[in-house]
Amino acid sequence: MTTYLRHLILTAAFFAAFQLVADDNSTTAYNFLDVPVSSHVYALGGHNLTVIDDDISLVEQNPSLLGPEFDHQIGLNYMKYIGETNFAGVRYAQGVSEHGAVAVGLQYFGYGNIQGAAIDGTRTGTFSASDIAFNVTYSHDISERLRGGITVKYLYSKYEDYTAGAVAADLGINYYNPDNEFSASLVAKNLGGQVKKFTDYKDNLPWDIQLGVSKMLSMAPIRLHITAYDLTRWSSPYYKIADVNNPKSELIEEESFGSNLLRHLAFGVDILPTNNVYLAVGYNYRTRTDMATYKRDFLSGLSAGGGLKVRAFSFGVAVARPHTGAMTVMVNLNSSIGELLK
């Protein structure tokens, strides 16, 4: 355990130093890293670090959720996003000891065909754009109720003839008390930087500090979640149209203590009628206020989904409306190879 903690601390220090070197006034890219791959997380508002469940896709949000209980589990995910954008990935986990586990994954983000143009506006035909994330996760029990984990990622981007690469890491720690089903986590995400630039300009990673808690109610099969994210900055203004009846009206910047607070929080509720079924609802105030235009409707910021487990297979689906013009759908399929072989 002492060796594990020492290695985790050294790794954290390395990527923190890498982050300080990479973090300057250049632009931020790799924002696809903010899109969850778990339908359960997507249904809970898009951010969650603390769901304790038999679902390998949850590890993408928090490496300390991985454990030997995921031994020989494989998970597939797919998301139909806005326009021609499609996301898909696979992740496999295996226990390496009584208190440790490792997982490997591959995530693809495809943005379809994009119309190209020269500086003067002349169209130059279409081109494709995509991002790929390769990741390896390791976790280990620190104590009976405390677990730490790390995910190391290599990010490869190809937009037309331009390519770029980056190295990043997520560091997480989770406390879970099974007696009262309370879970709390702290995660540092996307620490690192580019190792190959598109051009002469350097792009930063969307690094973040996140904190979350989950608690099962004692009087009902309901689990509540609150996740705080984007904690590296407090100010989070948004813009809304001055006159909702006039689409050409000017935009007004909105910012207050209350809006800043809520724009850092994602709320979720799980209803668990049985051990093999869940229904989830989430609310993300940032998503709603980002859509603060004359087209915003009741569904903006809301998400919902559900999951079912039958023997060695589990299936999850979630829907949300991150943009006024589209409804998005995410699905997960997991299977425990060990249970299939029994």
Side-chain angles (χ1 to χ4, degrees):
M1 185 184 303
T2 302
T3 301
Y4 168 75
L5 288 174
R6 183 166 59 248
H7 289 169
L8 188 61
I9 292 171
L10 289 174
T11 303
F14 170 77
F15 278 98
F18 198 172
Q19 185 66 49
L20 289 175
V21 172
D23 195 11
D24 56 16
N25 293 324
S26 55
T27 59
T28 300
Y30 303 97
N31 292 307
F32 62 88
L33 294 170
D34 293 332
V35 179
V37 303
S38 165
S39 60
H40 198 165
V41 170
Y42 199 53
L44 292 171
H47 297 275
N48 191 286
L49 315 172
T50 48
V51 173
I52 305 300
D53 201 357
D54 186 26
D55 180 358
I56 185 60
S57 64
L58 296 170
V59 174
E60 178 267 342
Q61 289 275 303
N62 180 359
S64 64
L65 295 181
L66 177 67
E69 63 272 17
F70 290 109
D71 189 36
H72 296 303
Q73 185 174 137
I74 186 170
L76 305 174
N77 66 80
Y78 171 76
M79 182 180 191
K80 175 60 178 175
Y81 205 55
I82 300 169
E84 297 183 7
T85 304
N86 293 274
F87 303 153
V90 59
R91 183 175 271 101
Y92 174 78
Q94 182 171 322
V96 294
S97 69
E98 184 180 353
H99 299 286
V102 64
V104 294
L106 172 67
Q107 197 69 30
Y108 171 80
F109 303 83
Y111 310 112
N113 293 320
I114 301 172
Q115 178 64 56
I119 297 177
D120 61 2
T122 302
R123 295 192 174 189
T124 58
T126 61
F127 65 92
S128 62
S130 62
D131 294 297
I132 300 176
F134 307 89
N135 56 75
V136 178
T137 303
Y138 176 74
S139 72
H140 197 279
D141 294 336
I142 300 172
S143 67
E144 183 179 357
R145 296 179 177 176
L146 197 64
R147 177 180 289 170
I150 178 173
T151 296
V152 178
K153 299 174 279 191
Y154 178 74
L155 313 172
Y156 174 78
S157 302
K158 187 177 189 303
Y159 303 162
E160 199 197 27
D161 293 330
Y162 297 92
T163 61
V167 176
D170 298 342
L171 304 169
I173 190 167
N174 173 258
Y175 170 85
Y176 178 61
N177 185 341
D179 297 331
N180 58 12
E181 296 192 67
F182 173 80
S183 175
S185 294
L186 175 66
V187 177
K189 303 193 73 172
N190 304 321
L191 301 174
Q194 277 190 312
V195 294
K196 183 181 184 301
K197 297 179 288 187
F198 282 111
T199 60
D200 294 333
Y201 296 95
K202 181 170 60 178
D203 295 312
N204 286 330
L205 296 175
W207 76 284
D208 193 11
I209 303 295
Q210 301 183 0
L211 177 66
V213 294
S214 296
K215 179 69 173 69
M216 181 77 78
L217 299 183
S218 59
M219 72 292 291
I222 296 175
R223 184 168 53 193
L224 305 180
H225 309 272
I226 300 178
T227 305
Y229 62 98
D230 196 18
L231 298 183
T232 57
R233 58 174 183 170
W234 168 253
S235 178
S236 182
Y238 66 96
Y239 297 87
K240 69 177 185 179
I241 196 165
D243 182 359
V244 295
N245 297 315
N246 180 11
K248 295 183 179 180
S249 177
E250 66 177 343
L251 295 177
I252 300 176
E253 181 179 297
E254 290 285 328
E255 183 176 13
S256 66
F257 176 86
S259 69
N260 278 334
L261 176 62
L262 290 174
R263 280 172 61 81
H264 288 285
L265 299 176
F267 302 91
V269 177
D270 275 326
I271 302 173
L272 307 163
T274 73
N275 291 333
N276 296 324
V277 176
Y278 76 83
L279 300 173
V281 178
Y283 178 69
N284 191 310
Y285 182 76
R286 173 170 291 191
T287 300
R288 181 170 180 80
T289 50
D290 282 346
M291 295 296 102
T293 69
Y294 69 101
K295 289 185 178 180
R296 185 178 67 182
D297 58 24
F298 174 76
L299 295 177
S300 298
L302 293 174
S303 54
L308 173 67
K309 182 176 181 181
V310 180
R311 297 187 62 193
F313 294 93
S314 61
F315 175 79
V317 61
V319 294
R321 194 167 185 177
H323 189 277
T324 56
M327 184 71 74
T328 57
V329 179
M330 177 182 289
V331 294
N332 284 153
L333 177 63
N334 295 341
S335 178
S336 176
I337 299 175
E339 292 185 33
L340 285 175
L341 297 177
K342 291 181 181 179

